[in-house]
Amino acid sequence: MAQRIRGVLAPVLTPFKADLSPDLERFVAHCQWLLSQNCGLAPFGTTSEGNSLSVDERADLLDSLVAAGIDPSRMMPGTGCCSITETARLTSQAVQHGCAGVLMLPPFYYKGVGEEGLYRYFSEVVQRVGDARLRIYLYHIPPVAVVGITTGLVERLLKDYPGAIAGMKDSSGDWNNTKAFLDAFNGFDVFVGSESFLLANMRNGGAGTISATANVNPAAIYELYRRISEEHRKAGSIGEGLDTAVADAEGPTPREATARLDPEDLQAKLNVVRDLFFEKYPMIPALKQAIAIYRNDPAWTKVRPPLVELTAEQAKGLKAEILKH
Amino acid sequence: MAQRIRGVLAPVLTPFKADLSPDLERFVAHCQWLLSQNCGLAPFGTTSEGNSLSVDERADLLDSLVAAGIDPSRMMPGTGCCSITETARLTSQAVQHGCAGVLMLPPFYYKGVGEEGLYRYFSEVVQRVGDARLRIYLYHIPPVAVVGITTGLVERLLKDYPGAIAGMKDSSGDWNNTKAFLDAFNGFDVFVGSESFLLANMRNGGAGTISATANVNPAAIYELYRRISEEHRKAGSIGEGLDTAVADAEGPTPREATARLDPEDLQAKLNVVRDLFFEKYPMIPALKQAIAIYRNDPAWTKVRPPLVELTAEQAKGLKAEILKH
């Protein structure tokens, strides 16, 4: 069995043209930059406005990324839709491209559905895809999807599909929930949805993080991941897996100042950057605004409705705060 | 301008085959029966498991219904997806078929989005469809979609697109909310999402109901609508519109007992039937089970995950209660 992916992944922001169509050139460039920062790619996630794209647009974009030379083995595209048919279609495509895995939302239209219905849904998708290379990361994000992933569901799925059910992304924002999954299962890779839990997750056997902020702060987040991995290696307890890092020679080297910091300090620094984006501003427009600032490229601010870009005043405030860091 | 649709519509249940693919033959037969009961068709709504179908499946099914001779002028398909691209595609198709209108959910993935973002979303869809025949019925169903339709949003949309924004379906289950929309706007047709509010809605200037229970009790619901329409006609205050009724000669005639009842009594009888389905059982599986019972056709019980059909015990209980009525 191929090694499973570990480390830091970004739910890749999707740039749009003025007519709201996806901007492939900017998308590829952003993916290349993230990869160069030791950051894997989770395109079509929540931060990616993945569900604001049609299924055809998602399929075309994934084909285009691969055609542009983006390495599928460092990709975990979001493929969870409300319909089994569409989820199976996007998942099959990702598997055929040799993607490291897929990040799969539960069907999120009907609320209050039970464990049995969700089990049947995921089970049906696994059977329709019917490929031993399939690696599903269940996506738990109750503040957005409302429908969530429970330990009872994972237990049933793992029992019946131990190869296909690879892990989860926990975006509950609740460490007790993450801990419950870490404690309950072996061979089930838990990624936290916020790097603010990265240290805790790694010290408790987690696999890394898939975090929105990795779009703008990937190297620093990876540095914390690398440190703890090193601790584990020294202790002989490292989990097996394919690191999201590029080969050492190519990747960014941590600044000397960072190299002297404790993991706890690295974590504290990550939290400051994260808070900058999450406390004051709507997160996705703020991240796009930040890329527009870093790249001096205003086209990056475009979002698809129902999202709305930052106001001029918000953009100015964000810029001032970014320059402070 | 063509007359707008009024009356009773069913969010048409979608029958599935054993392999979960849509069962066109049963679907057409159910549509034909509903039409014969003076009931218009709102396929691909919540009760239809519309969002459990792929966009391609929805498009193919609408083409197939029209090809099978189902009258588009008595149809209001659900076309609201999370992406502008898909919503515009399905809406354009419906307009090109000459459908009476479309029932449009707001984009329902992102929660807590503001009025501005929703305005931009619907505005973009209207502009992309770009057809003077477009009639949008905004779909407010906060218990499921979580994202809702506000009077402020309707005010902005009506101002800019008075031809395209035709009305709404209010499935809030909150009469005060329905009343607020009825009071706020003229030329905006409000359908209640439950026939339990039909009498109140019609007496306050509403256009009718689009209700799940119309799948199993269409003639009785239409009879209440017809009575109040008759009251309005006598009072000279009838709203203009194309009734969902078939020509009188073809339609079912109310039973003599029913003909002697007051509207209030008719409403009370509707509520009893509705409660039978909504109080004790998960609604969509129970409605499918009821059709399976009426038609003596067990294939009708099939639902797509994440929904789950009734248990054998529930099915038995439902059958006993149906036979009492």
Side-chain angles (χ1 to χ4, degrees):
Chain A
M1 195 192 289
Q3 286 199 313
R4 294 204 300 226
I5 195 164
R6 299 175 67 85
V8 178
L9 293 100
V12 188
L13 290 163
T14 310
F16 294 111
K17 297 183 188 169
D19 67 357
L20 295 179
S21 64
D23 184 332
L24 182 63
E25 200 182 326
R26 285 183 170 85
F27 195 37
V28 170
H30 186 49
C31 287
Q32 286 168 333
W33 177 75
L34 288 168
L35 289 173
S36 78
Q37 304 297 300
N38 296 321
C39 183
L41 308 174
F44 320 128
T46 300
T47 304
S48 318
E49 300 171 75
N51 290 101
S52 297
L53 299 168
S54 72
V55 168
D56 287 341
E57 286 173 326
R58 286 157 78 163
D60 289 349
L61 279 172
L62 185 62
D63 284 344
S64 299
L65 287 183
V66 174
I70 304 295
D71 180 2
S73 77
R74 294 172 72 201
M75 259 197 263
M76 187 196 288
T79 61
C81 304
C82 295
S83 72
I84 283 172
T85 9
E86 291 174 324
T87 302
R89 173 186 160 193
L90 291 177
T91 303
S92 288
Q93 183 205 17
V95 170
Q96 280 153 24
H97 274 307
C99 289
V102 296
L103 184 59
M104 197 178 289
L105 282 167
F108 53 85
Y109 183 64
Y110 294 102
K111 308 304 188 288
V113 293
E115 199 174 285
E116 172 65 20
L118 292 174
Y119 170 80
R120 289 187 192 184
Y121 182 95
F122 287 113
S123 177
E124 180 75 22
V125 170
V126 171
Q127 293 186 30
R128 288 190 181 206
V129 174
D131 193 309
R133 296 169 295 174
L134 173 61
R135 299 288 174 273
I136 293 176
Y137 295 85
L138 300 165
Y139 188 4
H140 181 59
I141 182 166
V144 183
V146 183
V147 179
I149 307 295
T150 58
T151 52
L153 174 64
V154 171
E155 192 176 338
R156 286 187 65 183
L157 287 170
L158 264 182
K159 185 165 171 285
D160 291 344
Y161 307 105
I165 303 300
M168 77 184 296
K169 173 182 179 185
D170 182 7
S171 294
S172 65
D174 171 6
W175 170 249
N176 290 329
N177 186 65
T178 306
K179 187 71 166 51
F181 281 92
L182 287 165
D183 292 346
F185 306 109
N186 287 317
F188 181 76
D189 293 340
V190 177
F191 290 85
V192 278
S194 161
E195 72 277 19
S196 57
F197 301 113
L198 180 56
L199 181 55
N201 191 40
M202 294 303 295
R203 291 233 162 117
N204 286 274
T209 184
I210 305 170
S211 170
T213 338
N215 277 284
V216 295
N217 197 27
I221 301 174
Y222 181 79
E223 175 58 15
L224 175 56
Y225 168 81
R226 192 190 64 77
R227 286 289 197 86
I228 311 297
S229 294
E230 215 169 68
E231 281 181 11
H232 288 172
R233 222 174 345 254
K234 283 178 186 162
S237 66
I238 178 91
E240 275 183 45
L242 185 73
D243 197 295
T244 52
V246 287
D248 281 353
E250 300 170 50
T253 46
R255 280 176 284 178
E256 211 180 318
T258 304
R260 283 194 303 266
L261 292 175
D262 287 337
E264 285 71 13
D265 296 325
L266 290 173
Q267 179 69 73
K269 281 172 75 81
L270 295 186
N271 296 353
V272 171
V273 175
R274 184 176 177 86
D275 287 350
L276 194 157
F277 286 95
F278 281 75
E279 297 275 299
K280 286 195 193 169
Y281 306 106
M283 189 256 295
I284 299 167
L287 290 170
K288 286 191 152 178
Q289 182 69 51
I291 306 254
I293 293 167
Y294 292 137
R295 291 187 176 261
N296 194 24
D297 180 4
W300 255 103
T301 57
K302 197 85 185 170
V303 291
R304 270 196 181 179
L307 302 189
V308 174
E309 71 279 359
L310 298 192
T311 64
E313 198 179 350
Q314 286 175 321
K316 206 174 145 190
L318 180 67
K319 187 170 185 175
E321 294 187 73
I322 283 176
L323 295 179
K324 274 193 273 175
H325 290 277
Chain B
M1 192 193 289
Q3 285 200 316
R4 295 202 302 223
I5 195 164
R6 300 176 67 85
V8 178
L9 293 99
V12 188
L13 290 163
T14 310
F16 294 111
K17 298 182 187 168
D19 67 358
L20 297 178
S21 64
D23 184 332
L24 182 64
E25 199 182 327
R26 284 183 171 85
F27 196 36
V28 169
H30 187 49
C31 286
Q32 286 168 333
W33 177 75
L34 288 169
L35 289 173
S36 77
Q37 304 296 302
N38 296 322
C39 184
L41 309 174
F44 320 128
T46 299
T47 304
S48 319
E49 300 171 76
N51 290 102
S52 297
L53 299 169
S54 72
V55 167
D56 287 342
E57 286 171 327
R58 286 156 79 164
D60 289 349
L61 279 173
L62 184 62
D63 285 344
S64 299
L65 287 184
V66 174
I70 304 295
D71 180 2
S73 77
R74 293 171 73 199
M75 259 198 263
M76 186 195 292
T79 61
C81 305
C82 295
S83 73
I84 283 171
T85 8
E86 290 173 326
T87 303
R89 174 186 159 193
L90 291 177
T91 303
S92 288
Q93 183 205 15
V95 171
Q96 279 153 26
H97 273 307
C99 289
V102 295
L103 185 58
M104 198 178 288
L105 281 166
F108 54 84
Y109 184 64
Y110 295 104
K111 307 305 188 287
V113 295
E115 198 175 287
E116 173 64 20
L118 291 175
Y119 170 81
R120 289 187 194 185
Y121 182 95
F122 288 112
S123 176
E124 181 73 22
V125 171
V126 172
Q127 292 185 31
R128 288 190 181 207
V129 174
D131 193 310
R133 295 170 295 174
L134 173 62
R135 298 288 174 271
I136 293 175
Y137 295 84
L138 300 164
Y139 187 6
H140 181 58
I141 182 165
V144 183
V146 182
V147 179
I149 307 296
T150 58
T151 51
L153 174 65
V154 170
E155 191 177 339
R156 286 186 65 183
L157 287 169
L158 263 183
K159 186 166 170 285
D160 291 345
Y161 306 106
I165 304 300
M168 77 185 297
K169 174 182 178 183
D170 182 6
S171 295
S172 66
D174 172 6
W175 169 249
N176 289 329
N177 186 66
T178 306
K179 187 72 167 50
F181 281 91
L182 287 165
D183 290 347
F185 306 109
N186 287 318
F188 181 77
D189 292 341
V190 177
F191 290 84
V192 279
S194 162
E195 74 276 19
S196 57
F197 300 114
L198 180 55
L199 181 56
N201 191 41
M202 295 303 296
R203 291 234 162 116
N204 284 274
T209 184
I210 305 171
S211 171
T213 338
N215 277 284
V216 293
N217 196 29
I221 302 175
Y222 182 78
E223 174 59 14
L224 174 57
Y225 169 82
R226 193 191 63 77
R227 285 287 197 88
I228 311 297
S229 294
E230 215 169 70
E231 281 181 13
H232 288 172
R233 223 179 337 259
K234 283 178 187 162
S237 65
I238 179 90
E240 276 184 42
L242 186 72
D243 196 295
T244 52
V246 287
D248 280 353
E250 300 172 50
T253 45
R255 280 177 284 180
E256 210 180 321
T258 304
R260 282 195 301 269
L261 291 175
D262 286 337
E264 285 71 15
D265 296 325
L266 290 173
Q267 178 70 72
K269 281 172 74 81
L270 295 185
N271 296 353
V272 170
V273 175
R274 183 176 178 88
D275 287 350
L276 193 158
F277 287 96
F278 281 76
E279 297 276 298
K280 286 199 194 167
Y281 305 107
M283 188 256 297
I284 299 167
L287 290 170
K288 284 189 153 179
Q289 181 70 51
I291 305 254
I293 294 167
Y294 292 136
R295 289 184 177 265
N296 193 24
D297 179 5
W300 254 103
T301 58
K302 196 86 185 166
V303 291
R304 272 199 178 176
L307 301 189
V308 175
E309 70 279 1
L310 297 193
T311 63
E313 198 180 350
Q314 286 175 322
K316 205 174 145 192
L318 180 67
K319 187 169 184 174
E321 293 187 72
I322 282 176
L323 295 179
K324 273 193 273 175
H325 290 278

